[in-house]
Amino acid sequence: MALTRSDRQNLLNKISALVAEKYYDPAFGGKDWKQVVAKHTESILGGETVDGFEAAVTSMLHEVHSSGLGLLGPTTEITPRNAINASFRKVETNADGTRWVFQDVLPGGVAARAGVQPGDSLISAKGHNILPDEPPVFPMDERIPIVISRNGNRAEKRLDLATPEPKYKDNPYSEPDSVTAAMAAESLGAVKVSLFPGKIGIDFAKDVDAAFHEKIPNVERLVIDLRGNPGGGIGGLHLMSYLTPSKVPIGYSLDRPTAERGYDKASLPKFDRIPKSKLEIPFLALKFLGKKSVVLETSGLGRQSFHGRVVILVNEHTTGAAEMLAQFAQENGLGTIVGNKTPGRLLSRSGFKIGNDYRLVIPIGAYVSWNGNRIEGKGITPDVPVDWSYGEALLGRDNQLSKAVQVAQGLG
């Protein structure tokens, strides 16, 4: 694909206008959007390659300092959490020097299916040596041969990552097993939530019910593992509803028009239940038609055997709706947060076609907890900090999960 100067100008005009109109924060975090565009115009228009154009646009968008604002094109490479369902930590290894090491390998995901394990060092991808200068990224809908080093030595292993064609063009991702559950100790269940798939989360809600009723029924203590979870849709509401017996307000989305005209949070429309069937979706669409600011409220599922003895495990790769769940539990005293501080990335986004196979993804709404706190840019600080151990991973052990189990056993 080639882009003429005229093509670049048209794309820049659309980007400039859409961000000015749709971006959720009218103050742009104190930035002057027109000045930002003017500053980057020549580098965007004057580049010689498509890669140069994309890099220049990305540099411009980064000046707003907002998660979720970005350009997606036909060759855009995606972060590992979305593309291969894994995250990395930069580690000084014994055998290979400083390398990107697999940290979270989500169950049923692209990396897990290929045979990747936590603690593996990434040596190369598609024949190119992967150096620690920049985080690795991966394309979608491709077969990606990689070389890893395992067990902290030079024994290299060749694997193939197979990324699928993304279901959603404005939020491309591969889908791991969203919910897995097992007994971690006597009367202690562990639920791993890798993703909140789908925009409404009907299938996810069914998977959550199956986990609690079939895999870990009547447990007295519970660990919910959200490490490496990039977020997703609204299905997390159903999991949050398992944390409290009654209907409790969680928080609300806040779009730009509502923020500009003022609002009373108590009068915003409420979403308090994931539909059981897709047949209900048209009724939901009518109820919330044109309403971008909505209150989330738990469903009132009644008393659970593990209430008061819940631990939620997070790390620096836990974002979006997963951060919302952790914040809700922490603010309402429903769970103890263990792990690493989360990065603070929770905004509602929409994608807009702008031509030449490009989409512009724009944050169109903020999220505010019922207590009035925002996660974006702040993150969730654990009640019990514990860092991931590369050395333990090499031995096949998960020190953070072990600590979460220990904390859960000490509750109540």
Side-chain angles (χ1 to χ4, degrees):
M1 180 181 71
L3 293 175
T4 66
R5 187 178 179 91
S6 176
D7 291 333
R8 296 167 187 243
Q9 183 68 69
N10 289 334
L11 289 168
L12 177 59
N13 290 345
K14 290 176 182 178
I15 292 169
S16 176
L18 278 169
V19 173
E21 177 188 357
K22 303 291 186 181
Y23 186 67
Y24 79 99
D25 178 11
F28 285 89
K31 293 281 186 176
D32 185 321
W33 174 239
K34 289 184 179 180
Q35 287 186 3
V36 170
V37 173
K39 173 183 172 182
H40 290 268
T41 292
E42 190 49 45
S43 62
I44 291 172
L45 299 183
E48 296 181 358
T49 65
V50 170
D51 288 345
F53 165 78
E54 293 177 2
V57 170
T58 298
S59 177
M60 177 181 72
L61 297 177
H62 279 175
E63 283 214 29
V64 181
H65 299 296
S66 173
S67 68
L69 180 61
L71 183 70
L72 292 177
T75 60
T76 301
E77 293 180 311
I78 309 301
T79 60
R81 289 185 311 149
N82 280 20
I84 65 170
N85 313 119
S87 58
F88 290 89
R89 172 77 69 91
K90 190 186 294 187
V91 173
E92 181 65 34
T93 68
N94 293 331
D96 303 297
T98 303
R99 287 286 179 179
W100 289 106
V101 170
F102 285 91
Q103 182 178 349
D104 304 303
V105 180
L106 302 181
V110 171
R113 291 197 304 269
V116 173
Q117 298 175 7
D120 288 346
S121 300
L122 180 63
I123 305 302
S124 68
K126 299 175 72 172
H128 299 290
N129 189 32
I130 303 296
L131 298 176
D133 307 67
E134 294 288 338
V137 290
F138 298 88
M140 299 295 293
D141 196 19
E142 277 195 27
R143 174 186 163 275
I144 307 164
I146 65 170
V147 175
I148 63 168
S149 175
R150 178 161 291 173
N151 298 327
N153 55 47
R154 292 187 177 277
E156 293 188 348
K157 194 174 181 66
R158 286 165 172 76
L159 304 173
D160 279 340
L161 304 175
T163 57
E165 181 179 357
K167 186 184 297 185
Y168 304 105
K169 297 295 185 183
D170 55 348
N171 184 24
Y173 63 83
S174 307
E175 193 165 319
D177 295 337
S178 57
V179 183
T180 55
M183 299 299 297
E186 184 178 354
S187 199
L188 191 157
V191 177
K192 175 70 177 178
V193 183
S194 300
L195 180 74
F196 299 105
K199 296 185 177 179
I200 302 296
I202 294 174
D203 292 336
F204 174 80
K206 292 176 180 177
D207 290 341
V208 169
D209 288 339
F212 282 114
H213 299 155
E214 299 171 16
K215 300 292 181 62
I216 53 168
N218 303 315
V219 292
E220 296 178 2
R221 302 171 192 279
L222 178 68
V223 172
I224 299 176
D225 185 354
L226 300 176
R227 291 174 299 169
N229 186 318
I234 204 63
L237 168 66
H238 195 64
L239 182 55
M240 286 185 274
S241 295
Y242 269 94
L243 300 181
T244 177
S246 54
K247 295 175 73 69
V248 176
I250 300 166
Y252 54 95
S253 55
L254 183 63
D255 69 343
R256 184 161 158 180
T258 304
E260 288 178 331
R261 69 171 175 262
Y263 63 95
D264 172 17
K265 65 180 183 180
S267 66
L268 296 175
K270 291 181 180 179
F271 185 82
D272 60 3
R273 183 180 65 85
I274 302 298
K276 293 186 179 298
S277 166
K278 293 179 181 179
L279 296 176
E280 297 181 53
I281 292 179
F283 298 100
L284 279 179
L286 286 174
K287 179 179 179 181
F288 294 103
L289 183 65
K291 298 173 182 175
K292 296 293 194 305
S293 291
V294 176
V295 170
L296 294 180
E297 185 175 82
T298 57
S299 306
L301 298 181
R303 181 73 186 170
Q304 306 295 324
S305 55
F306 49 77
H307 281 172
R309 295 174 295 277
V310 175
V311 169
I312 296 173
L313 192 51
V314 299
N315 68 4
E316 66 272 29
H317 305 295
T318 302
T319 59
E323 289 182 282
M324 182 193 299
L325 189 153
Q327 182 191 52
F328 173 66
Q330 191 175 59
E331 286 192 347
N332 291 277
L334 302 174
T336 302
I337 312 300
V338 173
N340 294 107
K341 184 177 179 180
T342 69
R345 298 176 190 160
L346 179 55
L347 294 170
S348 299
R349 306 181 304 164
S350 283
F352 301 88
K353 292 181 180 180
I354 59 174
N356 297 86
D357 289 328
Y358 283 108
R359 289 172 182 262
L360 182 67
V361 180
I362 303 178
I364 61 168
Y367 171 76
V368 186
S369 77
W370 198 249
N371 290 355
N373 298 315
R374 298 195 187 196
I375 295 172
E376 180 68 17
K378 298 178 181 178
I380 307 298
T381 300
D383 303 305
V384 182
V386 54
D387 196 13
W388 178 75
S389 170
Y390 168 63
E392 289 291 290
L394 289 180
L395 298 173
R397 298 196 289 253
D398 186 340
N399 69 296
Q400 288 182 314
L401 179 59
S402 296
K403 183 63 176 180
V405 169
Q406 177 188 345
V407 171
Q409 289 173 325
L411 294 174

